[in-house]
């Protein structure tokens, strides 16, 4: 009887130890919906490589940072810089990637540069012909992504056009936008910077070309940081959280960032 009780106790301790070990190796994140593609790719690869558990909730940047501040998650995801009041709570901004967006037209369009103010007017439906902004007498065909697209959210957020754009067509993929703009005289659209090819023209914005170099220099407007904030510096975090950031900085993690169309920051 005593041996049976000891065996049961031993198994119980093993199970508890295993559960604690899994909990200690778990990483929890919450925040930006725009970072979903990046987080899903990173977490899937990380869990496969390490056997650790990663949970991510897409609650929005502000809500994610509030969860971090309250201690309910290890990492708060934000597709923007941290505000002073958030930093005052001890939150630290860790930029893991940069999201760049290019504005494109068909190859025959004579307009090669557009001001950010004119771009806003085009997408708000206030400018409807290219001849109003230095182009030919040709109607502007405004192309965009579907509601819920991270690229659309970023574009509208940066230009302060949330729910104010007047789209002629809303397409459900980057490839569809690229093909439609290339084939449509007078069309304008936006896509992730990494997919721009010689079938379209990537417009300069306020005289600045859409390129990784200009984004890293901070000169190109249509960009934003992807932040994985921590409460305190990374070095003060648990071993599990430090391992997560080490993975992101590894060759494998950096390759994933590039594969999902993002730019690796200079840090």
């Amino acid at each position: 009887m005593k041996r049976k009780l000891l065996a049961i106790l031993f198994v119980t301790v093993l199970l508890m130890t295993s559960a604690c070990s899994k909990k200690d190796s778990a990483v929890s994140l919450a925040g930006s919906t725009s970072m979903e593609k990046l987080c899903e790719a990173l977490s899937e690869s990380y869990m496969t490589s390490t056997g650790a558990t990663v949970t991510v909730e897409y609650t929005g940047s502000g809500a994610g940072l509030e969860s971090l501040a309250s201690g309910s998650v290890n990492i708060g995801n934000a597709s923007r810089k941290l505000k002073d009041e958030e930093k005052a709570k001890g939150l630290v901004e860790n930029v893991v990637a940069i999201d760049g967006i290019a504005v494109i037209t068909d190859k025959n369009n004579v307009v090669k540069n557009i001001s950010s103010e004119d771009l806003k007017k085009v997408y708000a439906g206030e400018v409807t012909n290219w001849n109003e902004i230095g182009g030919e007498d040709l109607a502007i065909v405004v192309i965009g992504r579907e509601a819920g697209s991270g690229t659309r959210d970023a574009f509208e957020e940066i230009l302060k056009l949330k729910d104010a754009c007047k789209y002629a067509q809303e397409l459900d993929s980057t490839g569809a936008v690229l093909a439609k703009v290339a084939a449509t005289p007078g069309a304008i659209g936006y896509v992730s910077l990494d997919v721009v090819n010689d079938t379209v023209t990537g417009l300069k914005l306020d005289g600045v070309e859409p390129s990784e170099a200009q984004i890293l220099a901070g000169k190109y407007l249509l960009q934003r940081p992807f932040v994985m904030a921590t409460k305190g510096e990374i070095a003060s975090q648990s071993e599990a959280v430090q391992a997560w950031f080490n993975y992101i900085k590894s060759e494998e993690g950096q390759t994933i960032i590039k594969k999902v169309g993002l730019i690796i920051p200079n840090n």
Side-chain angles (χ1 to χ4, degrees):
M1 184 68 176
K2 185 180 289 186
R3 287 183 178 179
K4 188 173 183 180
L5 287 173
L6 286 173
I8 293 172
L9 180 61
F10 179 70
V11 171
T12 302
V13 170
L14 280 179
L15 290 173
M16 289 178 66
T17 302
S18 176
C20 289
S21 177
K22 287 181 179 179
K23 184 177 180 181
D24 290 342
S25 66
V27 179
S28 57
L29 305 89
S32 172
T33 57
S34 297
M35 291 174 65
E36 181 173 0
K37 187 177 179 181
L38 171 64
C39 287
E40 291 301 305
L42 282 172
S43 60
E44 182 179 343
S45 179
Y46 182 71
M47 288 190 289
T48 299
S49 298
T50 67
T53 300
V54 179
T55 59
V56 190
E57 295 180 4
Y58 302 102
T59 56
S61 296
L65 294 172
E66 287 177 7
S67 295
L68 173 63
S70 70
S72 59
V73 296
N74 303 124
I75 296 169
N77 291 334
S79 50
R80 59 168 173 77
K81 293 182 178 181
L82 298 191
K83 300 175 182 177
D84 289 341
E85 55 265 35
E86 292 164 341
K87 291 180 180 180
K89 296 177 182 178
L91 306 192
V92 175
E93 184 177 283
N94 308 301
V95 179
V96 297
I98 299 173
D99 186 22
I101 300 171
V103 179
I104 58 173
T105 64
D106 66 285
K107 293 289 287 186
N108 294 324
N109 199 316
V110 298
V111 174
K112 306 301 179 187
N113 176 65
I114 189 170
S115 71
S116 52
E117 284 304 311
D118 282 342
L119 182 61
K120 291 179 187 179
K121 291 177 181 178
V122 166
Y123 272 85
E126 297 170 14
V127 169
T128 59
N129 194 297
W130 286 104
N131 63 14
E132 298 177 64
I133 50 175
E136 298 177 345
D137 182 11
L138 182 66
I140 300 175
V141 182
V142 179
I143 306 297
R145 288 293 303 278
E146 80 286 4
S149 158
T151 307
R152 171 170 166 166
D153 286 344
F155 179 83
E156 294 184 357
E157 180 181 320
I158 295 168
L159 291 177
K160 296 180 172 58
L161 284 171
K162 194 66 176 173
D163 300 322
C165 292
K166 309 296 183 184
Y167 294 108
Q169 290 190 45
E170 300 176 30
L171 304 176
D172 63 2
S173 72
T174 294
V177 172
L178 197 71
K180 189 66 179 179
V181 171
T184 307
I188 188 170
Y190 53 80
V191 293
S192 295
L193 180 67
D194 68 305
V195 304
V196 177
N197 58 31
D198 59 8
T199 67
V200 296
T201 296
L203 293 182
K204 290 182 179 180
L205 187 57
D206 297 321
V208 180
E209 66 181 39
S211 70
E212 183 172 330
Q214 295 288 24
I215 285 175
L216 290 173
K219 296 179 180 179
Y220 184 72
L221 176 65
L222 288 176
Q223 63 164 293
R224 59 179 177 168
F226 276 1
V227 173
M228 290 188 179
T230 49
K231 197 169 185 180
E233 300 291 339
I234 293 174
S236 69
Q237 305 301 307
S238 67
E239 289 184 6
V241 172
Q242 290 186 51
W244 168 256
F245 279 103
N246 287 337
Y247 181 76
I248 290 173
K249 293 176 183 178
S250 71
E251 184 177 348
E252 189 173 350
Q254 300 287 279
T255 297
I256 290 171
I257 289 172
K258 290 180 179 179
K259 279 186 177 180
V260 298
L262 299 172
I263 295 169
I264 296 171
N266 290 327
N267 57 21

